[in-house]
Amino acid sequence: RPYDSPIGASGGIGVLIDKQGNDQYIGDYFAQGSSYWYSLGILHDMNGDDTYIAGRYAQGAGIHVSAGALIDEGGSDSYLVTFGVAQGMGHDFGVGVLADFHGDNTYKGGTLSGGAATCGGIGILYDRDSLDDLTRERSQSADTPDDSCGAYGFGIWMNDKSGRIIQ
C-alpha cells in the first residue's frame, strides 16, 4: 500500500476454478478466495468432497476495500481456519463471501470468521443445505463502530434449508 508515496501497486485479480475432484486446498495467509487492498480474489470449486485449510485472511475474506469469494457448488466439505479473519469475513470496507450450495459441511474458524464483518465491511457465510457443525469464536459484527475507522460492519450467516438467517 502506498502510504507516504504515490508509487505503489495496489489491486490485482486472482481466480482459481476447479471443475471436479476431491481436493485439498492448503494455504496460510491470503489464500482460498481472499483479497487485499483494491483486489479481487475468487476460488470456485464446482464438485467434490473438498478440504480447505488456512491460517488467516482466507476462505472468502475481503480485506481493505476489496472483494473475496469462495464458492463451492457440490460435495461434503470441511473448512478449517487456524487463526481467523476468514470464512466470509469483510473488514475495512471489504466484502467477503463464503457460499456453499450442497453437502454436509463442517466449519471451524477462529476469531472473526463465519460471516463476520468489522470496520464498514460486509461478511456473508451462506450454506444452502446445512450449518449444523459450525465452530467459531467471535464471528458477528461488532456492536459499536470499530475504533480504527468509525464504521459498523454487517455480518450474516444464511441458510436456505431451514429458512433461517443467523446473526
Side-chain angles (χ1 to χ4, degrees), residues 3-135:
Y3 282 120
D4 299 325
S5 168
I7 300 170
S10 300
I13 298 172
V15 178
L16 187 158
I17 299 172
D18 182 74
K19 290 182 82 171
Q20 63 184 11
N22 298 328
D23 305 304
Q24 291 185 356
Y25 298 98
I26 301 171
D28 193 13
Y29 280 41
F30 302 109
Q32 304 166 357
S34 69
S35 61
Y36 186 84
W37 200 250
Y38 294 105
S39 66
L40 172 66
I42 299 170
L43 190 162
H44 183 178
D45 188 285
M46 295 181 188
N47 195 14
D49 297 333
D50 305 309
T51 301
Y52 299 89
I53 300 170
R56 184 178 185 192
Y57 300 127
Q59 299 178 359
I63 309 299
H64 303 306
V65 196
S66 68
L70 192 166
I71 302 160
D72 191 295
E73 290 188 48
S76 294
D77 306 305
S78 174
Y79 300 90
L80 169 66
V81 174
T82 58
F83 186 89
V85 194
Q87 298 176 343
M89 198 287 177
H91 172 67
D92 190 24
F93 304 99
V95 177
V97 177
L98 192 164
D100 194 299
F101 292 96
H102 297 288
D104 186 16
N105 307 304
T106 61
Y107 301 85
K108 180 169 179 162
T111 302
L112 293 171
S113 61
T118 57
C119 195
I122 298 172
I124 299 169
L125 180 100
Y126 171 77
D127 188 311
R128 181 176 161 188
D129 286 345
S130 67
L131 278 177
D132 296 332
D133 191 2
L134 180 66
T135 305

